[in-house]
Amino acid sequence: ETDAEAARAAERAAEADPESVHVPGGGIDAIVLGRALGALGECCASAATAANVTQLTGAVLELVSSPSVHEHRHPHVRRAALFALYGAVTSTPPAAAWHALARSSDTVTSRLGRLLSWAEAWSERTHARDADATTRQLALRCALSSADLRQKACVVGAGRKDRDDPLFVLKNLTALAVDFES
């Protein structure tokens, strides 16, 4: 009887404010979404040395770039999105970022390059405009990490004197594979 009463109370609360955070209503609500994003941030951080880390970071950045995630009305979801973004950005190898960002400035855009650029811009916007102080602090950390990755990527790119050669990738496949692993 106590469980039924608690369920009815949860239903009444959900009906009173359909936008509120509640688990009994089912579906993916703000609590579940926040926890899932936090877990994805941890996965990225744990997979920093994995061979396919760029695929994972790209997928996480793509999820975070969804307006229903990064513009969520609950601050803890936006914080979790920033945490996932931080894990993705700090796990991206500088060599992979250089290749992605260098290609995204050409006519052929790189998905990862667009997402990394978006992540930096969104972090800066959130730091400047979000109403929640903790979210702004996390956004600043993400913006600084994105800028740091961009700087490291530029250092990797500066070491490549022949990078303007259109056949650079084909000529240096082995070297690129080593860069992606480091």
Side-chain angles (χ1 to χ4, degrees), residues 93-103 153-154 156-158 160 163 168 176:
W98 176 76
H99 290 288
L101 292 168
R103 285 193 318 201
C154 288
V156 168
R160 308 252 186 213
R163 65 185 181 272
F168 175 75
L176 289 174

Side-chain angles (χ1 to χ4, degrees), residues 10 21 33 35 52 56 67-69 74 80-81 84-87 102 107 114 121 134 147 165 172 175:
V21 178
L33 180 58
R35 289 185 179 168
N52 61 348
L56 177 62
S68 61
V69 174
H74 294 289
L85 184 138
Y86 181 78
T107 55
R114 281 192 318 271
T134 305
D165 182 359
N172 297 288

Side-chain angles (χ1 to χ4, degrees), residues 28-30 33 37 62-74 77-78 81 118:
I28 186 160
D29 63 358
L33 180 58
L37 289 167
E62 192 167 329
L63 174 64
V64 172
S65 71
S66 169
S68 61
V69 174
H70 72 267
E71 294 175 358
H72 202 280
R73 67 185 285 267
H74 294 289
V77 174
R78 293 192 307 274
W118 173 86

Side-chain angles (χ1 to χ4, degrees), residues 10-178:
E11 287 176 14
R12 284 191 302 272
E15 288 172 4
D17 185 8
E19 295 293 319
S20 68
V21 178
H22 63 283
V23 175
I28 186 160
D29 63 358
I31 292 173
V32 175
L33 180 58
R35 289 185 179 168
L37 289 167
L40 286 171
E42 288 290 333
C43 284
C44 285
S46 299
T49 58
N52 61 348
V53 69
T54 55
Q55 293 171 334
L56 177 62
T57 58
V60 170
L61 289 173
E62 192 167 329
L63 174 64
V64 172
S65 71
S66 169
S68 61
V69 174
H70 72 267
E71 294 175 358
H72 202 280
R73 67 185 285 267
H74 294 289
H76 66 275
V77 174
R78 293 192 307 274
R79 288 182 208 141
L82 286 162
F83 181 76
L85 184 138
Y86 181 78
V89 167
T90 57
S91 301
T92 304
W98 176 76
H99 290 288
L101 292 168
R103 285 193 318 201
S104 65
S105 62
D106 296 341
T107 55
V108 177
T109 57
S110 162
R111 178 178 146 268
L112 181 60
R114 281 192 318 271
L115 289 169
L116 287 171
S117 296
W118 173 86
E120 188 172 3
W122 176 63
S123 298
E124 291 171 357
R125 266 193 326 273
T126 302
H127 171 64
R129 297 182 189 153
D130 201 275
D132 182 56
T134 305
T135 304
R136 286 193 310 271
Q137 291 171 347
L138 285 169
L140 175 61
R141 185 70 182 144
C142 289
L144 292 173
S145 296
S146 294
D148 184 53
L149 177 62
R150 186 180 293 274
Q151 183 179 10
K152 288 177 182 176
C154 288
V155 169
V156 168
R160 308 252 186 213
K161 301 299 178 206
D162 56 351
R163 65 185 181 272
D164 293 329
D165 182 359
L167 298 176
F168 175 75
V169 174
L170 290 175
K171 292 177 183 175
N172 297 288
L173 225 64
T174 306
L176 289 174
V178 171

